[in-house]
DNA sequence: AATCATGTTACTCAGTAAGTTACATGATTT
DNA sequence: AAATCATGTAACTTACTGAGTAACATGATT
C-alpha cells in the first residue's frame, strides 16, 4: 500500500481502483477493501463518477509508515503470540512474562522506527533516486 | 513449548506425549510433531516402550529462547512481509528497502534478546518464585 | 508374547485472506 | 433526463494454513 500511496502522490489526478489493481497484480475490489482503511483514516479520498478514483488527502509530511500500517489494518505485528492453556500454572506465567517482555521491547523499536519515517521522506528519496540513477549508487541499496 | 521444556526439566523421569498434550489442551500427535524439532536439534530425547517418553537432553545453560524458537520451527518472526509484484518498479524498490531496513533492525533486537535468555535462567526464576511466593512480589510481574 | 510409547503418514476440519460476482450509490457527461 | 463511469458493499467461492484425528509401523520394556 505504501507503494500505491507514493504512486498516487506522484500521479496527476485520481487513480482508478482498476489501474491500481493491475499495477500490483490484484483486482479492483481487493484494492477498494484495503484502501478503505486509509480513507477512513483520512489519508486518501475517493471520488465517484467520470474521472473519479483515489487521491491523496493528507500532508505526506505528517503521515508515517506506522500510521499507514495501522490504518491498513494489521493489529498484530508479530507472528508469535502467547499460549494461555492453564493460566494458573506458575511455569506458564513465568514463560509468558519473559516472552512478553522481549516482544514488548521489539515492538517498541518497530513502532519507533516506523513512526520516524514519513511518506514525504520516502517520496524525496524517490526524487533523489530518479535524479541520480545514472551517476550515483542508489541510497540504501547494496 | 518453553512451558513444556521447563516442566520436563523439573519432572523426574520421562514425560509421555499424552501427559503433555493434556497439560496444554492439545493431543499427543501434535505434541510429537512439535517436539520433533527440538529432538532433531538435540535439546530433548524421546524414549520408546514402557516408561518411555520425553526427557531433556541438553544443558539448560547452553540453550536460549532463540534456540528453542528456531528449533520449534518458526522461520518467520514478523507478520508482515514485502510484496514483489513488479520488481522493476522504482517505487516498490525504494519502499521495500525502507521497510526491510526497519524490519532487519527489529529482528536483530529480537534475536539478541531471545538469545540472551537461557532455559536455565528461566528455571532459576521459577525457583525464586516458588520459594518466595508468599513473602515477596513475583519478579517481572506487576 | 503382550504391552506401551513414540514415529509417521494421510485424512478431515476450522479459520483466514484473497478472488469473484453482483448490484447499489453517486458524479459526470452528453 | 439518460447514459456512463467509478466507488461501496455484500455474498459467495477458492486457496491455504494449522490443528485435530485415525491408523499403522517401530522399538523397548515387562
Amino acid at each position: 500500500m505504501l507503494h500505491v500511496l507514493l504512486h498516487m502522490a506522484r500521479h496527476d489526478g485520481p487513480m482508478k481502483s482498476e489501474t491500481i489493481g493491475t499495477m500490483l497484480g490484484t483486482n479492483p475490489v481487493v484494492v477498494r477493501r484495503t484502501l478503505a482503511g486509509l480513507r477512513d483514516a483520512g489519508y486518501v479520498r475517493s471520488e465517484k463518477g467520470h474521472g473519479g478514483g483515489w487521491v491523496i488527502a493528507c500532508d505526506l509530511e505528517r503521515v508515517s509508515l506506522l500510521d499507514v500500517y495501522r490504518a491498513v489494518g494489521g493489529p498484530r505485528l508479530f507472528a508469535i503470540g502467547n499460549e494461555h492453556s492453564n493460566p494458573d500454572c506458575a511455569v506458564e506465567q513465568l514463560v509468558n512474562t519473559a516472552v512478553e517482555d522481549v516482544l514488548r521491547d521489539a515492538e517498541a523499536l518497530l513502532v519507533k522506527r516506523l513512526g520516524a519515517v514519513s511518506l514525504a521522506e520516502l517520496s524525496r528519496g524517490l526524487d533523489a533516486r530518479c535524479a541520480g540513477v545514472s551517476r550515483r549508487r542508489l541510497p540504501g541499496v547494496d
Side-chain angles (χ1 to χ4, degrees), chain A residues 77 82 113 119:
Chain A
L77 275 163
N82 288 331
R113 291 288 303 269
L119 294 180

Side-chain angles (χ1 to χ4, degrees), chain A residues 93-109:
Chain A
Q93 286 176 23
L94 185 90
V95 169
N96 282 349
T97 300
V99 173
E100 282 164 9
D101 186 47
V102 172
L103 249 48
R104 188 170 39 240
D105 287 359
E107 181 172 349
L109 174 64

Side-chain angles (χ1 to χ4, degrees), chain A residues 116-139:
Chain A
V117 181
S118 70
L119 294 180
E121 284 173 67
L122 275 187
S123 187
R124 279 193 292 271
L126 201 56
D127 290 334
R129 181 169 193 154
C130 291
V133 66
S134 57
R135 294 179 288 130
R136 293 180 295 160
R137 286 181 65 238
L138 304 180

